[in-house]
Amino acid sequence: MEHEHEGPRLPAPRGPLSARVKEYLLGTGPLPGPAEFAAADVYGDDVQLALYLCYELHYRGFAGVAPEREWDPDLLRVRAALEHHFLSALRADARVHDSVPDALSGLLVEPVEGTGVTHFLRDEGELWQLREYAAQRSLYHLKEADPHAWVLPRLWGRAKAAMAAVEFDEYGGGRPDRLHAQLFADLMTDLGLDTTYGRYLDAASAEALVTVNLMSLFGLHRALRGALVGHFAAVEITSSPGSRRLAEAMRRTGAGPAAEHFYDEHVEADAVHEQVVRHDVIGGLLEAEPHLAPDVAFGIDATVFVEDRLAARLLADWRAGRSSLRTPLTPEMAHTS
């Protein structure tokens, strides 16, 4: 197991782009050229892993990679090309609503007959599927709230104060044992999973990488601060009802008290956060910068788009009786329960 301060191990490449980026990080080869991006599937494994490798340098980095690589100008140029490819696709595929109220309206109504991942896990999911879900989501939840913290220096006034208040809750209100990332690690322990940061990067699907890369894309660019706020609103608004279903799934399958507690905590906390984000973060931002309304709507739509893609992947695999992971969980990839 890697020591946390060293960063996780670099993952295996998933194609020529991610292979070249990995080699460059290790100082063993050149970066890919712009011509190599054009033919690659923007939502596929190779592009998304290459982008994830670039982004992770701004979080905990990787074992064996020099910290200076974070601001390497050549690597930043490659990241910018990947981001342009990604963002252009999202703007073409995900934009649905022209206004923030319209974008929010669909999130605020729970369908009577839900068919999503959390409904499936609550009603018929098995423990192995809950374990896979946690492994996929660990790419974000073990750094929960970190991508959203990037937006704080880009806000001011009511929006900044409200966003900081929500983030303070996400970071445990000053108590390390109540950090949401720690609560998720406790959930993983209950499920017999390895809690090492980045442990399941090799196993996670491209669709899971996309959901995390979206947060980093929005968070690391001041020009996309409106989209980041929209993303955060979409997450908080949908979190409470989804967390209630996941808590029920954990109880039904006997996953364990920490597994139940993580989602129980989000039922309560995110019900409050949803109101604060809608009225004070979005409200405060658009009061100060009304021209960002289309970006907020885009952030909401893009979040729904990438989450729907992940849900479709998970449900298709599980309903077919197969693993949703690139490398199914084995005793070597998990602690025994």
Side-chain angles (χ1 to χ4, degrees):
M1 181 183 296
E2 294 289 337
H3 297 295
E4 293 293 325
H5 71 275
E6 295 176 344
R9 291 188 295 269
L10 278 163
R14 304 188 187 184
L17 293 175
S18 53
R20 298 277 290 277
V21 170
K22 179 178 178 178
E23 289 169 4
Y24 187 78
L25 292 178
L26 293 173
T28 60
L31 285 164
E36 297 178 63
F37 303 140
D41 176 8
V42 69
Y43 302 121
D45 281 296
D46 194 26
V47 167
Q48 290 300 318
L49 181 59
L51 195 51
Y52 192 98
L53 294 177
C54 293
Y55 284 146
E56 191 57 35
L57 300 178
H58 298 290
Y59 295 102
R60 300 194 197 180
F62 292 101
V65 175
E68 292 76 16
R69 288 296 193 200
E70 180 181 6
W71 299 110
D72 182 294
D74 293 327
L75 187 61
L76 290 175
R77 278 190 284 271
V78 166
R79 195 191 92 186
L82 290 167
E83 287 177 325
H84 176 74
H85 195 28
F86 186 31
L87 187 58
S88 296
L90 288 169
R91 291 198 185 280
D93 297 337
R95 185 174 290 282
V96 176
H97 300 97
D98 295 324
S99 73
V100 174
D102 287 345
L104 288 172
S105 62
L107 301 177
L108 295 169
V109 178
E110 274 279 287
V112 176
E113 297 291 335
T115 58
V117 168
T118 59
H119 294 86
F120 174 89
L121 291 173
R122 179 196 63 189
D123 298 337
E124 54 186 297
E126 299 177 25
L127 194 57
W128 68 270
Q129 293 160 332
L130 288 170
R131 295 176 76 240
E132 287 198 354
Y133 185 75
Q136 299 262 23
R137 290 298 194 183
S138 69
L139 299 190
Y140 166 62
H141 280 303
L142 289 179
K143 60 183 173 201
E144 184 167 341
D146 290 350
H148 304 118
W150 296 111
V151 83
L152 284 169
R154 287 113 189 224
L155 303 175
W156 59 87
R158 183 157 62 104
K160 188 186 194 87
M163 188 74 188
V166 174
E167 287 284 274
F168 184 64
D169 286 348
E170 301 282 346
Y171 289 130
R175 292 177 53 186
D177 60 310
R178 295 196 59 79
L179 282 162
H180 284 192
Q182 179 59 55
L183 296 182
F184 193 80
D186 296 341
L187 170 148
M188 294 178 73
T189 298
D190 265 4
L191 291 173
L193 297 171
D194 189 333
T195 63
T196 304
Y197 182 87
R199 178 67 180 87
Y200 297 105
L201 176 54
D202 271 320
S205 63
E207 291 81 1
L209 294 181
V210 170
T211 66
V212 185
N213 283 340
L214 183 75
M215 302 181 209
S216 298
L217 170 67
F218 290 166
L220 285 167
H221 290 272
R222 189 177 68 84
L224 294 173
R225 62 194 179 281
L228 188 283
V229 166
H231 168 81
F232 193 56
V235 169
E236 295 298 315
I237 289 169
T238 57
S239 175
S240 186
S243 293
R244 181 176 291 106
R245 289 187 286 272
L246 289 169
E248 293 173 10
M250 297 296 176
R251 275 188 277 276
R252 181 178 60 78
T253 57
E260 296 172 20
H261 176 68
F262 176 81
Y263 289 110
D264 283 335
E265 171 76 11
H266 282 70
V267 171
E268 295 185 22
D270 291 343
V272 175
H273 293 170
E274 178 254 317
Q275 296 291 323
V276 175
V277 172
R278 281 200 298 127
H279 296 296
D280 294 318
V281 180
I282 291 180
L285 175 67
L286 296 185
E287 183 177 74
E289 300 186 275
H291 63 283
L292 292 180
D295 288 346
V296 175
F298 167 62
I300 295 169
D301 288 341
T303 304
V304 172
F305 174 73
V306 302
E307 289 291 338
D308 283 351
R309 291 183 76 259
L310 175 59
R313 166 68 184 269
L314 296 176
L315 291 174
D317 286 337
W318 291 342
R319 285 175 174 150
R322 61 178 178 259
S323 173
S324 67
L325 297 169
R326 298 179 72 252
T327 307
L329 296 174
T330 65
E332 291 74 29
M333 292 183 68
H335 299 308
T336 54
S337 301

